[in-house]
């Protein structure tokens, strides 16, 4: 368990006859961003609720921030913060009052609560709006205030359950920067998201949840390598060069109308150099070269639609 912010083994949760989590294992190193992906209803929010002590698991061994969740849930609560996809901000009071209320809930003294509130409002660029009702805030401002409120208790681990849902692209990118800064400061982030680009941009490790099980886990690059379909596309303007290239690369798929060749490739530098060397030997130069590698969208659709053989998974990725 050393160095792990979250460790769960055999986590199960059912509602009636429906198994939501079917014996999943999770390991989240301290000071990292771990992202849990999955279709709607896959159990992502249920996992967050269990790990943050909001509901109980049916079975499983869980340690959060070094504490046994079943034996000492209060110690777990003292070490974590939770921000859901729906803001916990009270729109009827000001941003500052929301912060001070959270400080009271954490039993901070009046002076300490004011100090922490002032620091966090400054950190999240909310000073000018601090005296305004939170109902007047934009979606991005409310989400920043929500996270600032979560940080009042100085948590070591933060659960972010779809934190950028409904935000415009600029606000989403601003939130990404905030999340990166939290981790730089030593916080561990457990992130669920419906935006695959978000996981790709932020997460150190990603797990894909499907039908109650972890379909695969790894870095974004490891997951992308699970999916076939990567290729190099060469396009020519001269028909003679195109025909010569097709002869030099017989494994390529031809597009005679576009004068283009498509060669299966994992996108590595070595594979690309091999293709170019073969063209150089034949004295041919392509007019356009593009490399396509599968992205997390491809991974997500493949993993949540079909099963990938275990031997093709990254080591230790199948649960």
């Amino acid at each position: 368990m050393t160095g792990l912010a979250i460790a769960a083994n055999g986590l199960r949760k059912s509602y009636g006859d429906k198994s939501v989590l079917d014996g999943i294992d999770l390991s989240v190193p301290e000071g990292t961003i771990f992202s849990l992906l999955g279709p709607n209803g896959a159990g992502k929010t249920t996992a967050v609720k269990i790990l943050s002590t909001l509901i109980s698991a049916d079975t499983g061994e869980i340690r959060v921030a070094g504490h046994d969740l079943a034996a000492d849930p209060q110690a777990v609560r003292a070490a974590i913060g939770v921000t859901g996809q729906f803001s916990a901000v009270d729109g009827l009071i000001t941003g500052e009052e929301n912060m001070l209320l959270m400080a009271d809930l954490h039993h901070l003294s009046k002076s300490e609560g004011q100090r922490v509130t002032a620091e966090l409002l400054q950190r999240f660029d909310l000073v000018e709006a601090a005296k305004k009702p939170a109902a007047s805030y934009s979606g991005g401002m409310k989400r920043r205030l929500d996270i600032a409120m979560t940080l009042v208790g100085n948590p070591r681990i933060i659960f972010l359950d779809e934190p950028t849902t409904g935000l415009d692209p600029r606000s989403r990118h601003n939130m990404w920067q905030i999340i990166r800064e939290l981790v730089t400061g030593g916080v561990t982030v457990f992130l669920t998201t419906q935006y695959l680009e978000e996981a790709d941009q932020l997460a150190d490790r990603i797990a894909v949840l499907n039908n109650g099980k972890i379909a695969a886990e790894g870095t974004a690059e490891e997951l992308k390598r699970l999916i076939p379909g990567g290729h190099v596309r060469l396009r020519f303007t001269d028909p003679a060069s195109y025909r010569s290239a097709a002869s030099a690369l017989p494994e390529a798929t031809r597009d005679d109308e576009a004068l283009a060749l498509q060669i299966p490739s994992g996108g590595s530098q070595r594979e690309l150099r091999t293709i170019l060397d073969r063209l150089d030997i034949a004295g041919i130069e392509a007019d356009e070269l593009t490399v396509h590698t599968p992205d997390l969208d491809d991974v997500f659709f493949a993993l949540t639609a079909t099963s990938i053989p275990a031997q093709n998974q990254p080591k230790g990725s199948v649960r």
Side-chain angles (χ1 to χ4, degrees):
M1 298 296 183
T2 302
L4 292 181
I6 300 169
N9 297 302
L11 186 57
R12 297 180 186 274
K13 182 67 178 180
S14 297
Y15 294 99
D17 295 333
K18 179 175 175 55
S19 177
V20 180
L21 299 175
D22 188 12
I24 69 171
D25 298 340
L26 297 170
S27 297
V28 182
E30 295 174 349
T32 65
I33 302 175
F34 182 93
S35 183
L36 187 63
L37 301 180
N40 288 337
K44 302 187 299 296
T45 297
T46 297
V48 169
K49 287 182 175 179
I50 290 172
L51 296 172
S52 59
T53 77
L54 295 177
I55 61 175
S56 299
D58 295 336
T59 60
E61 297 179 1
I62 308 167
R63 295 188 70 85
V64 177
H67 305 288
D68 186 303
L69 188 143
D72 199 354
Q74 193 57 41
V76 171
R77 294 184 192 113
I80 67 172
V82 183
T83 298
Q85 55 184 297
F86 302 107
S87 175
V89 171
D90 187 339
L92 299 179
I93 60 177
T94 69
E96 184 179 53
E97 288 168 340
N98 271 281
M99 294 289 294
L100 291 172
L101 177 60
M102 188 60 64
D104 286 342
L105 293 175
H106 282 280
H107 307 293
L108 300 184
S109 67
K110 184 176 180 179
S111 61
E112 181 68 4
Q114 290 173 337
R115 183 189 66 78
V116 170
T117 292
E119 287 181 358
L120 289 170
L121 289 173
Q122 179 73 39
R123 178 177 177 183
F124 286 90
D125 195 23
L126 292 168
V127 174
E128 291 186 8
K131 303 293 185 182
K132 298 177 182 178
S136 67
Y137 289 12
S138 67
M141 291 170 66
K142 285 181 181 176
R143 205 54 59 89
R144 295 205 309 274
L145 178 59
D146 208 3
I147 293 183
M149 291 164 60
T150 299
L151 293 180
V152 168
N154 195 28
R156 294 159 50 194
I157 302 167
I158 297 180
F159 294 92
L160 298 178
D161 189 17
E162 301 193 11
T164 62
T165 297
L167 297 186
D168 61 75
R170 184 181 298 277
S171 296
R172 185 172 301 126
H173 279 263
N174 289 341
M175 188 60 62
W176 292 357
Q177 186 57 37
I178 288 171
I179 293 170
R180 292 187 182 105
E181 289 172 359
L182 290 174
V183 175
T184 299
V187 172
T188 302
V189 172
F190 188 103
L191 171 74
T192 73
T193 179
Q194 60 179 308
Y195 301 111
L196 302 182
E197 181 192 9
E198 189 160 276
D200 200 356
Q201 286 284 331
L202 293 175
D204 297 293
R205 291 188 68 79
I206 299 167
V208 181
L209 186 62
N210 188 47
N211 293 326
K213 295 181 179 294
I214 299 295
E217 181 185 340
T219 66
E221 293 308 313
E222 286 173 339
L223 293 181
K224 290 172 188 177
R225 287 199 292 269
L226 295 176
I227 308 302
H231 62 265
V232 173
R233 181 178 172 85
L234 303 171
R235 194 179 65 80
F236 301 84
T237 55
D238 176 44
S241 295
Y242 167 68
R243 289 191 295 270
S244 296
S247 297
L249 301 166
E251 74 277 19
T253 301
R254 297 177 56 151
D255 183 342
D256 293 338
E257 184 176 345
L259 299 182
L261 301 174
Q262 183 170 302
I263 304 98
S265 170
S268 70
Q269 183 177 338
R270 178 178 296 179
E271 289 176 302
L272 185 59
R273 185 182 294 115
T274 298
I275 293 170
L276 295 176
D277 286 347
R278 291 168 66 184
L279 290 177
D280 284 341
I281 291 171
I284 307 162
E285 184 173 324
D287 294 286
E288 183 179 295
L289 182 152
T290 55
V291 179
H292 172 81
T293 55
D295 57 23
L296 275 187
D297 288 54
D298 300 317
V299 174
F300 181 86
F301 292 132
L303 289 176
T304 58
T306 59
S307 297
I308 291 179
Q311 63 266 28
N312 292 334
Q313 302 262 4
K315 183 178 180 182
S317 64
V318 181
R319 296 293 190 263

